[in-house]
Amino acid sequence: MNRIRQNLMLCALLGTSLLGGSCNKSPEAYGPGAANPEFLARSLNRLTEVIIYDIFSPPVASRIYAYSSIAAYEALVPGYPDCVSLAGQLNGLEPGPQPEADQEYCLPLAAVHAFLTVGRTLVFSEDSIARFEAKLEAEFEKVGVPASVRKRSLAYGEAVAAHIMAWSGSDNYKQTRTFPRYTVTGDKERWKPTPPAYMDAIEPHWNRIRPFVIDSATQFVPVPPTAFDLKEGSAFYKEMMEVYEVGVNLTEEQREIAKFWDCNPFVMHTQGHVMYATKKITPGGHWMGIATIAARQSGADIMKTAETYALTAVSLADGFISCWDEKYRSSLIRPETVINEHIDEKWAPLLQTPPFPEYTSGHSVISTSAATMLTSLYGDNFAFLDTTEVPYGLPPRQFQSFRDAAAEAAISRLYGGIHYMPAISNGVGQGRKVGEYVVANIRTRSEQTASNP
């Protein structure tokens, strides 16, 4: 029985093979090598590199991560009888292709191919992913997966990817590309472009994107932001001055925290008449990196890793949809603008202000949502060293739990000078509601497995 289960979980040997049928190479000879979760982790890392290179905004990046990760998960599920498909659970996702009975498949190869095929379709730098995948396929050959099995597995992964892409086509993304830009008005409390690039507002219609799990963008609307009032002593004035005073009195630790969680994918720099940009990981990319750290540290197999990616990604994606709905409802002015206009024209935040309205804090929402999901998967006291930003020149930081990391990500926005405290605290509450809803409404394990972990 253990031998049969190993075949199912590591190589997905289906049908007649379980009844004693033979194949040209025994799965036990290559199963463990082919089922190495690092194939999937490296694929995620390459997708992140391409997302950075192509400069996708945080909401769009979250969509790319979600569809790619779901494709990998769905391709693996048939080989894991303790796991269940996300079809019928995610909004609009119908059951997809299944492996043929009485045929041998290497489902890890199919999953990696499905992940990279969807990712390649959703980015600009397709060749970078294609070259990477060619190297991975050579590694699957090297561990001994027969040519016929590779061909069959790639075809299955291709079918799953096509199914996921067809589903993605109905999420209203393409339609929102044609919607009008955000209109800047003269209203004193409304958001307006910020220095140094004065970029247009990013994704003002993201609330029109179909959510993955939550029922609508408006399901978890937070309380409104503090009423705009520049009278000295008013609640808003105090919030504004808090940002200003924290900004001029930052400790070295606060600076390090703000920079660690900056996650601004496109930072403009000016030197005299010269302007240039640097690229960074998105907030969602940072949390997908934390998902990899958790999977590796816990010794997760490839199925658990795929589950971690899919569930973290949909928590992030729905967090962005919920947050962006509020951002363009309240359209609140950023601290940098109001401080420069009314308090100190030379004041600048430590971090460059992102090009979209202030309330609520995106990092507060999506970090809390992702941390809630990761806590459900790995426990409340999962201590880890966050090395996600090391490739981008920042030292690692130690956290005692995912919620600990999310709390630091949230407060970093005050230290960075880009959010008032209500956007942070209410953003945390909004993200918690999104995360808890996703956790409560998505099932990846059978009832028996769930009741007997």
Side-chain angles (χ1 to χ4, degrees), residues 4-14 17 23 25-32 34-35 76 79-80 103-109 145-146 149 153 302:
I4 292 176
R5 182 173 178 80
Q6 181 185 46
N7 289 349
L8 275 168
M9 298 189 68
L10 295 180
C11 181
L13 186 59
L14 303 176
S17 59
C23 59
K25 190 171 183 67
S26 172
E28 288 93 343
Y30 64 85
L76 274 175
Y80 292 76
Q103 295 291 337
E104 181 186 338
Y105 290 82
C106 181
L107 292 190
L109 173 57
V145 183
V149 176
S153 302
I302 194 168

Side-chain angles (χ1 to χ4, degrees), residues 25 29-31 33-34 39 138-145:
K25 190 171 183 67
Y30 64 85
F39 283 125
E139 293 181 38
F140 276 99
E141 180 180 6
K142 188 175 182 180
V143 299
V145 183

Side-chain angles (χ1 to χ4, degrees), residues 111-400:
V112 166
H113 184 58
F115 179 95
L116 292 172
T117 299
V118 171
R120 185 172 64 245
T121 305
L122 296 176
V123 301
F124 303 135
S125 301
E126 299 177 34
D127 288 348
S128 176
I129 292 181
R131 290 192 300 270
F132 172 79
E133 183 170 15
K135 294 179 180 179
L136 282 192
E137 290 179 11
E139 293 181 38
F140 276 99
E141 180 180 6
K142 188 175 182 180
V143 299
V145 183
S148 60
V149 176
R150 295 199 308 273
K151 181 178 180 180
R152 188 178 303 115
S153 302
L154 290 171
Y156 169 59
E158 191 80 24
V160 172
H163 178 70
I164 297 301
M165 285 309 304
W167 170 52
S168 76
S170 62
D171 72 354
N172 214 33
Y173 176 78
K174 292 182 180 178
Q175 290 82 345
T176 61
R177 303 307 90 187
T178 67
F179 291 173
R181 295 180 177 181
Y182 175 89
T183 300
V184 178
T185 71
D187 296 343
K188 58 186 179 181
E189 74 276 9
R190 282 176 59 85
W191 180 88
K192 62 185 69 174
T194 50
Y198 297 95
M199 295 173 61
D200 288 339
I202 287 177
E203 300 297 342
H205 306 288
W206 200 251
N207 65 341
R208 302 284 294 276
I209 301 296
R210 177 188 60 207
F212 287 85
V213 184
I214 61 176
D215 59 34
S216 70
T218 59
Q219 185 174 359
F220 299 112
V221 175
V223 298
T226 303
F228 184 85
D229 183 357
L230 290 177
K231 181 179 179 180
E232 190 170 349
S234 71
F236 182 84
Y237 185 87
K238 291 178 180 177
E239 293 166 9
M240 174 191 65
M241 290 305 297
E242 180 182 26
V243 178
Y244 176 72
E245 291 168 359
V246 168
V248 297
N249 295 289
L250 286 171
T251 66
E252 188 57 36
E253 174 72 2
Q254 290 171 334
R255 288 177 179 274
E256 290 179 3
I257 290 172
K259 291 178 180 179
F260 185 79
W261 294 103
D262 184 13
C263 302
N264 187 338
F266 190 73
V267 178
M268 294 297 299
H269 305 272
T270 56
Q271 291 183 350
H273 297 291
V274 178
M275 180 174 288
Y276 65 97
T278 54
K279 305 173 183 180
K280 296 182 180 180
I281 196 169
T282 64
H286 190 133
W287 278 95
M288 292 301 288
I290 292 175
T292 294
I293 292 170
R296 283 173 173 163
Q297 184 173 314
S298 67
D301 64 10
I302 194 168
M303 187 69 236
K304 179 70 172 183
T305 300
E307 177 186 27
T308 300
Y309 289 166
L311 295 181
T312 303
V314 299
S315 300
L316 290 166
D318 276 3
F320 274 111
I321 291 171
S322 180
C323 179
W324 252 243
D325 174 65
E326 179 55 41
K327 279 187 178 295
Y328 289 96
R329 177 186 300 105
S330 53
S331 191
L332 185 62
I333 193 169
R334 286 279 185 169
E336 181 172 18
T337 304
V338 70
I339 290 172
N340 286 165
E341 291 179 350
H342 300 281
I343 303 299
D344 182 351
E345 64 179 11
K346 295 183 178 180
W347 182 86
L350 176 66
L351 303 182
Q352 191 169 116
T353 301
F356 35 81
E358 191 271 344
Y359 188 84
T360 49
S361 159
H363 223 325
S364 301
V365 175
I366 66 97
S367 295
T368 307
S369 180
T372 300
M373 175 55 72
L374 286 167
T375 298
S376 76
L377 291 169
Y378 293 99
D380 195 33
N381 297 305
F382 191 95
F384 65 97
L385 183 68
D386 186 355
T387 58
T388 306
E389 298 287 341
V390 170
Y392 313 105
L394 295 171
R397 293 187 65 80
Q398 180 71 42
F399 298 103
Q400 296 308 306

